[in-house]
Amino acid sequence: MPTALITGATSGIGAAFARRLAADAYSLVLVARDELRLIRTADQLKLRYGVPVEVLPADLATDEGLAKVESRLRDGVDLLINNAGFGNPGHFPDVPVEREARMLKVHCEAVLRLTLAALPGMRERERGAIVNVASVAAFFTRGTYSASKAWVVNFSESAAAELRDPRIKIMALCPGFVRTEFHQRASMDSSTIPGFMWLKADDVVRDAMRDLALGKRVSIPDLRYKAVVAIGRLIPRSVQAMVSQRIGR
């Protein structure tokens, strides 16, 4: 039975990955900060899908938390989903530097360190895959959040190119607006986002798994957001920034 480790596994896209992979008969390792919520999530998955589920409480904004997950990854996994992430309330440069640094640690340092921890075992077994959850925001200019997600996309593409091993896949997943707890936790007003722009987490994961099987290095779920990114590449950065300010992160 293959094993998948998922960070940020108790809600949103992470929870959708857990459901999909459990249905695909993966053994799961779930990582999040809230231990009680992890245990509840694990119990539900075991009851519904009958797969082994391990819980690993860890705060990826701390060196201690990162070290715990790195240690588990060195024991070997077949699939790593680097999904943990968050948005800061407020706008650059008004957000306190401590919050900005915490975001960079979770979005960038954690992705780097966990990828490096998982790869040796995958290379030894000559198989494996890593999905780094970024955002459509990576292709636009919107403060530290979009900058950190742009790093995730560039890192994923660069790591895949440097690895040069088709048996080990590394992919950046770049969803648009998804119905999760993300906006509420970041105190973001999502009322101005048109209803037709929202995606379902389960649909995002379905598209991600399809693109991973196809060997894509960047996955942009849904034709709507493929069009948004394609058009965005054709317009000046100054116009992108103005639009981003109007519709949010």
Side-chain angles (χ1 to χ4, degrees):
M1 178 180 288
T3 300
L5 185 146
I6 307 165
T7 69
T10 56
S11 66
I13 294 173
F17 265 113
R19 291 191 296 271
R20 167 60 188 266
L21 295 171
D24 288 346
Y26 274 77
S27 170
L28 301 179
V29 182
L30 307 183
V31 179
R33 291 181 298 168
D34 188 332
E35 185 172 6
L36 290 178
R37 196 172 184 184
L38 272 175
I39 292 171
R40 286 198 299 270
T41 301
D43 288 344
Q44 291 167 0
L45 291 167
K46 285 186 284 189
L47 181 63
R48 180 173 181 180
Y49 299 102
V51 297
V53 184
E54 177 185 343
V55 298
L56 184 56
D59 183 352
L60 300 184
T62 68
D63 286 331
E64 179 185 7
L66 281 172
K68 285 175 63 176
V69 183
E70 285 175 314
S71 177
R72 177 59 185 84
L73 287 169
R74 292 189 187 104
D75 290 339
V77 299
D78 300 281
L79 175 59
L80 166 62
I81 310 292
N82 277 316
N83 168 72
F86 61 93
N88 280 322
H91 303 277
F92 183 86
D94 301 323
V95 178
V97 66
E98 294 81 7
R99 287 180 176 268
E100 297 282 39
R102 181 181 177 88
M103 176 185 284
L104 293 178
K105 194 171 186 72
V106 173
H107 289 186
C108 301
E109 183 180 341
V111 169
L112 170 67
R113 288 176 57 173
L114 300 188
T115 296
L116 288 172
L119 278 175
M122 293 180 179
R123 297 179 78 178
E124 183 178 345
R125 294 188 304 278
E126 299 182 340
R127 70 178 188 277
I130 299 171
V131 176
N132 296 322
V133 179
S135 168
V136 161
F139 304 102
F140 298 90
T141 53
R142 180 68 182 191
T144 311
Y145 180 82
S146 65
S148 69
K149 292 303 186 180
W151 183 90
V152 172
V153 174
N154 194 309
F155 167 72
S156 300
E157 291 186 284
S158 299
E162 290 287 329
L163 197 60
R164 291 179 293 183
D165 187 341
R167 297 166 298 184
I168 301 173
K169 301 172 182 178
I170 301 178
M171 184 183 80
L173 172 60
C174 303
F177 295 115
V178 183
R179 296 285 187 188
T180 68
E181 300 173 2
F182 176 87
H183 294 86
Q184 181 181 357
R185 287 181 174 180
S187 301
M188 296 178 189
D189 180 10
S190 58
S191 62
T192 59
I193 302 168
F196 69 89
M197 294 301 289
W198 288 100
L199 304 177
K200 295 179 180 179
D202 290 325
D203 293 342
V204 168
V205 169
R206 178 200 63 209
D207 289 356
M209 294 303 292
R210 178 202 63 206
D211 288 345
L212 185 67
L214 292 172
K216 293 188 178 182
R217 293 180 179 178
V218 178
S219 171
I220 302 173
D222 196 89
L223 288 174
R224 287 166 287 183
Y225 283 102
K226 286 180 171 65
V228 166
V229 172
I231 294 169
R233 286 170 171 159
L234 299 176
I235 63 177
R237 283 286 192 175
S238 59
V239 177
Q240 285 187 20
M242 181 182 68
V243 173
S244 294
Q245 288 289 337
R246 287 184 176 275
I247 67 173
R249 281 170 277 187

